[in-house]
Amino acid sequence: MNLSGRDFLKLLDYSKEEILYLIELATVLKQKKKMNESHRYLYGKNVVLLFEKDSTRTRCAFEVGALDLGMGCTYLGPTGSQMGKKESIADTARVLSRMYDGIEYRGFSQEIIEELAKYASVPVWNGLTDEFHPTQMLADMMTIKEQFGKLQGLKLVFMGDARNNVANSLLVVCSKLGVNFTCCAPKELFPKAELVQQCETFARENGSTITLTENIEEGVKGAHVIYTDVWVSMGEDASIWQKRIHDLKPYQVNKEVMRLANPKAIFLHCLPSFHDTKTKVGKEIQEQFGLEEMEVTNEVFESEQSKVFDQAENRLHTIKAVMYATMKE
């Protein structure tokens, strides 16, 4: 499998075999990390991280991953570059390509990263856009495979705002890898019909199904994976909290939901999560709306079924796999 020189912008661009290859490569790199075995395969190369949206897991995974692979790494935060302000995206891409061997972008429209990739002469990787979150998907699928030993034929249920970047990406990756995908949400928060139709083609090719339902019992029954995300995504206006809470409170992941699933079901969340009031936003929501837990209860989040920290760790190994696979000569 040769992915050298490829961009990693969305999983729609990658085949089933290529996605599975990246997951297997991440598994090998994880083992090397655990065994403290040096894997500085990209020694002497340098990468730059362009962040227009803040992050914990994505930034740390790219920085530690680059260090593990022997690379130098430069972080440019929301005010760290002139891109889009005094310098065009195209010019930024061409300048950075003369100094770095890879460019990561985390920010807003998918169109921005597509333009970066168009003008860059080095691999460009998507750390998150409003539409897609492909590196998260590799970590998710790696975590599921670690728990069940397979992906084909499993049932994954996403509960919440199924139009966001995580839900969009889960729809894509499940349909490509033969995982049965169910969106359990109010109808107005279902994924866009165009993306669903595209993924239905992939699902038919790979022997899986796509289900959209408002019925929680029907949606969750027999699920191997229950997945949720925050109800208001980064960049959305805080004024919509009231409506989202009204619409999505019935779809909160709690013990009752987990009981409807497969007895061996696991819980996943891309994080951060509002499962208690120990955050600034959590306290504000409690004061304004009286909710102490939002998309998932603390009971589920802290349960043995919760694999969210395995999932978070696997961001490192899968991001490392993406960098290595696309940069190796």
Side-chain angles (χ1 to χ4, degrees):
M1 187 70 67
N2 183 7
L3 303 180
S4 182
R6 288 272 298 274
D7 297 316
F8 190 74
L9 309 182
K10 56 187 184 297
L11 291 179
L12 289 168
D13 302 331
Y14 277 69
S15 69
K16 175 181 181 177
E17 292 73 24
E18 289 168 339
I19 297 169
L20 290 174
Y21 165 73
L22 288 170
I23 294 170
E24 289 304 315
L25 177 57
T27 302
V28 172
L29 293 173
K30 181 175 184 176
Q31 184 64 19
K32 289 183 181 295
K33 178 84 170 175
K34 298 296 182 186
M35 298 296 291
N36 199 29
E37 181 180 334
S38 177
H39 46 284
R40 293 165 62 84
Y41 302 140
L42 299 176
Y43 179 78
K45 293 184 181 292
N46 293 280
V47 297
V48 60
L49 314 181
L50 287 172
F51 275 61
E52 292 189 315
K53 287 184 178 181
D54 290 327
S55 166
T56 300
R57 280 148 297 281
T58 302
R59 177 180 176 178
C60 293
F62 270 103
E63 289 190 344
V64 175
L67 183 64
D68 284 353
L69 290 169
M71 295 191 287
C73 182
T74 301
Y75 171 78
L76 297 176
T79 61
S81 78
Q82 295 294 349
M83 187 179 77
K85 298 187 285 287
K86 294 183 178 179
E87 187 166 52
S88 69
I89 295 167
D91 289 355
T92 300
R94 289 178 285 191
V95 167
L96 294 177
S97 294
R98 298 295 183 100
M99 301 181 184
Y100 294 94
D101 303 287
I103 301 169
E104 182 271 354
Y105 172 78
R106 177 183 172 94
F108 297 94
S109 171
Q110 183 73 16
E111 292 178 358
I112 295 175
I113 195 169
E114 298 283 350
E115 188 172 358
L116 269 173
K118 178 180 177 181
Y119 288 97
S121 56
V122 298
V124 175
W125 312 299
N126 184 350
L128 174 144
T129 62
D130 290 343
E131 290 82 11
F132 295 108
H133 198 357
T135 57
Q136 178 69 53
M137 295 305 102
L138 295 180
D140 296 344
M141 294 300 116
M142 181 179 179
T143 306
I144 294 167
K145 191 172 182 184
E146 287 176 339
Q147 295 298 317
F148 294 99
K150 65 175 186 176
L151 293 170
Q152 184 76 40
L154 297 179
K155 177 180 178 179
L156 182 147
V157 179
F158 181 86
M159 303 186 69
D161 179 4
R163 305 166 310 166
N164 74 10
N165 49 17
V166 169
N168 285 343
S169 300
L170 283 168
L171 174 59
V172 173
V173 76
C174 286
S175 65
K176 290 218 170 193
L177 299 186
V179 177
N180 298 310
F181 176 82
T182 296
C183 151
C184 194
K187 194 168 289 186
E188 66 183 82
L189 297 180
F190 283 179
K192 290 182 179 179
E194 182 181 357
L195 182 61
V196 173
Q197 290 169 6
Q198 192 173 7
C199 290
E200 283 175 338
T201 300
F202 301 141
R204 284 192 295 271
E205 292 171 354
N206 295 300
S208 59
T209 60
I210 295 172
T211 303
L212 310 180
T213 182
E214 294 183 288
N215 187 300
I216 296 169
E217 186 170 351
E218 174 189 317
V220 173
K221 185 177 180 181
H224 299 90
V225 183
I226 305 294
Y227 197 125
T228 193
D229 192 6
V230 293
W231 290 341
V232 176
S233 297
M234 190 181 300
E236 290 189 298
D237 196 281
S239 64
I240 67 172
W241 267 110
Q242 184 170 4
K243 177 167 174 50
R244 288 287 170 81
I245 289 172
H246 175 269
D247 293 343
L248 291 175
K249 181 64 168 66
Y251 296 90
Q252 180 190 66
V253 178
N254 50 42
K255 269 297 181 184
E256 289 66 37
V257 166
M258 296 304 293
R259 287 192 193 102
L260 291 170
N262 185 289
K264 295 183 179 180
I266 62 172
F267 169 73
L268 296 182
H269 192 305
C270 55
L271 303 182
S273 168
F274 298 126
H275 58 96
D276 56 26
T277 58
K278 295 178 182 178
T279 63
K280 179 181 177 181
V281 173
K283 288 177 183 176
E284 290 173 353
I285 295 298
Q286 181 191 31
E287 292 168 1
Q288 191 171 355
F289 302 105
L291 273 183
E292 294 187 359
E293 306 161 309
M294 280 176 274
E295 73 277 5
V296 59
T297 62
N298 195 58
E299 182 181 23
V300 170
F301 188 89
E302 297 291 355
S303 71
E304 289 187 5
Q305 289 176 289
S306 176
K307 304 301 176 184
V308 297
F309 297 110
D310 292 338
Q311 185 185 5
E313 179 196 337
N314 284 339
R315 293 296 305 286
L316 168 62
H317 310 300
T318 47
I319 281 173
K320 195 188 300 185
V322 169
M323 288 194 290
Y324 175 53
T326 57
M327 292 179 71
K328 67 179 180 178
E329 296 175 357

